[in-house]
Every structure is written in C-alpha cells, then in structure tokens.
Amino acid sequence: MKARWVARAGVFALVGLWREDASASHCAGCTEPLPVAMEVAPSVVGPSGPLAVTMTPEFPSKDHPIDPIHWETVAVEIRNSEGMVLPGSVHAVDGFSPRLWYPAAAMPPGSYTVTTSVTPTDEHCSPWDEAFDVEVVQDLELPPVPDVVVATEPHSRALSDFTNYVCCEGGRPYRPSEPGTGCFPSTPLPSWNSFCAPQNNSHWLRVNASVDAATEGFFTLREVTTSVRPQRGNTALDLDLHAPDCLEFELLNLYTQDSSLTRWCPDADAKLGVLPIEGAEEDVMTRCGCTAYVCEDEFPDSCRRWPDGGPIGSNCPSETDTEFDEPDTDTDATGPGATDASGCACSQRPTPRGGLPLMLVAVALGIARRRKPSDTRAAKLQRVSR
C-alpha cells in the first residue's frame, strides 16, 4: 500500500524539539505518549470496510506497549475524490493492536484518501498527519487464511548480577555511566576489566511470528499468554522467550471476526534461562595467581573471597594504610602500587578507558597551581626577551 506523507516536516519538528530540549535534560520537551507513525490497511476494501488503523508508539518496546491513551491524540478522516468527508467511526479490537474504521453507510466504489492526524494537548508536542490512498471496489475478494510462521534467533549475555563475576588482580565489575536514550529508568548492564570472568550466561530466544504481508488489514496477530501484539502493522510480532514454555498465537480475521490458534514450542535442545559458562571456573583458576573474589556491588568493602565467601586475605594492606592505583583496564597488568608483596591486588575499583589523558591533565593543573608567582614572571620576561 502506497502512503504519502502530508506533513513530514511536522514529525521531524517533533523529534527535533525533543532533541533540542534534551541538551538541558534528556527527559524535557514533548512528554505526551504520541505515536510516531500510522498505518492504514488494506489499500483495497469493500463498500462496508473496514479499514485497519495501526500505530507505532513513541517508545515501542515490550515494557511500554501501545496504550489506549495513545488513541486520544489520533483522528481518522476519509474523503472521496471530490474532497467530501465520509462519516464513520473507529472501534477498538479487544486484545489486538489495530482499531477498525467503519463507514456510517456503504461507500460507493472509487478512490479515497484516508488521513490520520495527531493533535497533542501538550504545547511542546508538534501536530502532524499522514495520508493513504484507498480504493473501494464493489466485490472484494478476501485472501485465504494465512499460516502463522514462527522463526527464532538465539541470544545470550552474561548475567547482570554483580555476584556473577569472579575477579582477581584488582579487577571488579562496574556499571558504566552511559547517556540515557529515553525518559524511562534503566540500569546499564555491568562491564568488567581483564581480571573478571562471568560464571553464568542468561539465554533467550527472540521469537518472531508472522503471516503473509499481503494479508495486512485483513488479519491481525497476538500472543495469547504474554499479551504481546505487533508494534506496527498487523502481520508480525516479536517477543523474547526466557523459559522453555510453549506459546499460542491467535490469528483474527478482521472481516469475519473468526479466529484460530497456533501453538508453538521451542526445540528441546534450545538454550533458555541462566546456564553456567563452560570452563568458567577453570579460567578463573588459570588467570588468578592469588585470591579470587566476588563483589556484591561497586564498593570495595562488598567483596568476599571466592568460592567459600570468606573475607579477602589479610596479606593485602588496608586502603587506610596505603593508597593504591586503580587497575588499568586496557592491559593485563595493574598499575604501580596496585599489588602487595604476594602479587595480590588490593584496589578493586575500575578505571575507564582513556583514563591516562585525564590523569595527565590533572597533573598539569596541579603543576600550574603550585607554580610560584616569581617563576611565572621570570617565564614571561624570558618570552619577551626572545
């Protein structure tokens, strides 16, 4: 279906305004839950419709799905080739993404323009609209019921709990300070330097369920147990599966309201959930020449000896007695003074990459502050004499 933008600049203005205000606070600016795109399908309908209207919300994710409040900002208008507006109304489809527009009376065959407009109540949010071409035919041939096709993609990452990381030689896991990408709170995944090794990985499957795209506007999908729905359009949805559970996908015929269920289960050998990393313990024993430890958070006093949970060996001086350098995460060696006589590290704080330039700047500033006024005047006289 061909769609043409009526006010593309309006959408860009909305994004631009949000980004401009982000210079002061990345959560400032337009805060209304607006859709950022609309879709109208199918491109060919019968005299009685219906037309399926779907949207992409501003923050499309399983944590922030399409909410009924999004529809409060949306209006749908249909005009014939002479520019006259056809009366009609929009109805919700319980449990599914699209809403259906029905005409108040049968539409004569011909060409029509459907405009979806967004009118925010927040003054910081810019209005915009989109237009779609629709053809009404007298005898519409409905497509056959499509098959639901399920595809999967395996994913894994180290478990985000700090206690998942066994460290030595001054290493420790930490959460990097990363700029936010939205206004919703999120905890960054931990990073670690060369002297930490994760013990367990979290495994999941990215599951995609879809039907033939040619049935867009005639059929719509949802997953029954998780209530996941398509974030845009009607014919495909994505969800993450973390446990070996079976899923049921419901396919709804928007014209007849008939529905069918497709049951799908992951393969028996699919890696799902938290599983130990093969060889992780041996890696720790090989890498660590002294006591290994696990830290509960980013503060040094939260670390306990691994694997028995006892206190870290007393052969390391306390930080009150000696000041230690932080470990260099760019190499496999700690900085000077970072280890005791036995080679065990005592400083367990991470050093971000690029820390050396910052240290040189700090040293330079310190030298400048300690320079005597007489030395400064002498340097000025020397430059003048040259």
Side-chain angles (χ1 to χ4, degrees):
M1 177 181 55
K2 180 180 178 183
R4 63 180 188 273
W5 291 85
V6 173
R8 181 182 299 225
V11 179
F12 293 154
L14 171 64
V15 178
L17 174 62
W18 186 84
R19 289 180 177 172
E20 181 179 355
D21 289 347
S23 59
S25 168
H26 75 274
C27 288
C30 180
T31 58
E32 197 165 318
L34 298 175
V36 293
M38 305 293 296
E39 191 74 27
V40 173
S43 57
V44 179
V45 297
S48 299
L51 287 169
V53 183
T54 54
M55 65 170 67
T56 297
E58 188 169 4
F59 301 101
S61 74
K62 65 180 185 300
D63 297 324
H64 306 286
I66 296 172
D67 189 272
I69 194 174
H70 289 84
W71 289 99
E72 296 178 6
T73 65
V74 177
V76 180
E77 185 179 79
I78 298 182
R79 295 176 181 269
N80 61 18
S81 57
E82 298 177 354
M84 296 182 60
V85 177
L86 272 67
S89 56
V90 177
H91 301 269
V93 184
D94 187 32
F96 291 88
S97 291
R99 295 206 170 186
L100 302 181
W101 182 90
Y102 288 95
M107 297 180 291
S111 298
Y112 293 83
T113 299
V114 183
T115 301
T116 57
S117 59
V118 177
T119 307
T121 57
D122 186 343
E123 62 180 4
H124 294 99
C125 305
S126 300
W128 59 275
D129 51 37
E130 264 180 280
F132 304 86
D133 295 327
V134 172
E135 189 75 18
V136 175
V137 297
Q138 185 63 45
D139 298 315
L140 176 67
E141 182 178 353
L142 297 178
V145 178
D147 294 326
V148 177
V149 179
V150 180
T152 62
E153 182 181 3
H155 290 264
S156 65
R157 65 173 173 232
L159 198 64
S160 60
D161 189 341
F162 272 28
T163 57
N164 183 45
Y165 300 87
V166 176
C167 305
C168 64
E169 303 293 338
R172 66 177 298 107
Y174 62 97
R175 300 195 188 278
S177 177
E178 298 177 347
T181 57
C183 298
F184 302 105
S186 61
T187 302
L189 294 173
S191 298
W192 64 92
N193 61 15
S194 301
F195 297 101
C196 293
Q199 302 297 292
N200 300 279
N201 273 350
S202 176
H203 300 266
W204 71 96
L205 288 178
R206 177 66 49 81
V207 180
N208 172 267
S210 64
V211 297
D212 189 346
T215 65
E216 178 85 12
F218 294 96
F219 295 88
T220 185
L221 273 175
R222 71 168 174 173
E223 202 288 311
V224 178
T225 56
T226 62
S227 300
V228 172
R229 295 170 284 170
Q231 286 293 340
R232 172 158 187 160
N234 312 325
T235 58
L237 62 84
D238 295 296
L239 59 87
D240 292 337
L241 185 67
H242 294 268
D245 300 324
C246 296
L247 302 173
E248 282 192 328
F249 299 97
E250 183 178 6
L251 179 68
L252 177 67
N253 188 321
L254 295 175
Y255 275 71
T256 66
Q257 299 300 306
D258 294 332
S259 65
S260 59
L261 290 176
T262 298
R263 182 178 173 84
W264 173 89
C265 300
D267 294 336
D269 58 351
K271 286 187 174 181
L272 292 168
V274 177
L275 300 173
I277 299 174
E278 185 177 352
E281 291 191 10
E282 291 81 356
D283 183 38
V284 172
M285 301 302 295
T286 301
R287 181 180 302 181
C288 297
C290 59
T291 302
Y293 48 85
V294 171
C295 301
E296 295 180 0
D297 53 40
E298 299 183 71
F299 300 99
D301 57 1
S302 69
C303 302
R304 307 292 292 178
R305 190 173 62 233
W306 178 86
D308 59 7
I312 296 178
S314 59
N315 57 342
C316 284
S318 66
E319 291 192 1
T320 56
D321 299 331
T322 309
E323 183 175 348
F324 297 98
D325 292 339
E326 296 180 359
D328 180 3
T329 59
D330 288 330
T331 68
D332 287 340
T334 53
T339 60
D340 67 356
S342 68
C344 295
C346 304
S347 173
Q348 297 158 356
R349 294 165 296 175
T351 299
R353 295 183 183 275
L356 180 59
L358 294 176
M359 182 174 67
L360 293 176
V361 171
V363 171
L365 290 175
I367 293 174
R369 289 174 181 173
R370 289 196 299 268
R371 181 177 291 173
K372 297 180 180 179
S374 58
D375 295 337
T376 304
R377 286 195 297 271
K380 290 182 179 180
L381 290 173
Q382 186 177 14
R383 287 197 295 272
V384 170
S385 63
R386 289 178 181 176

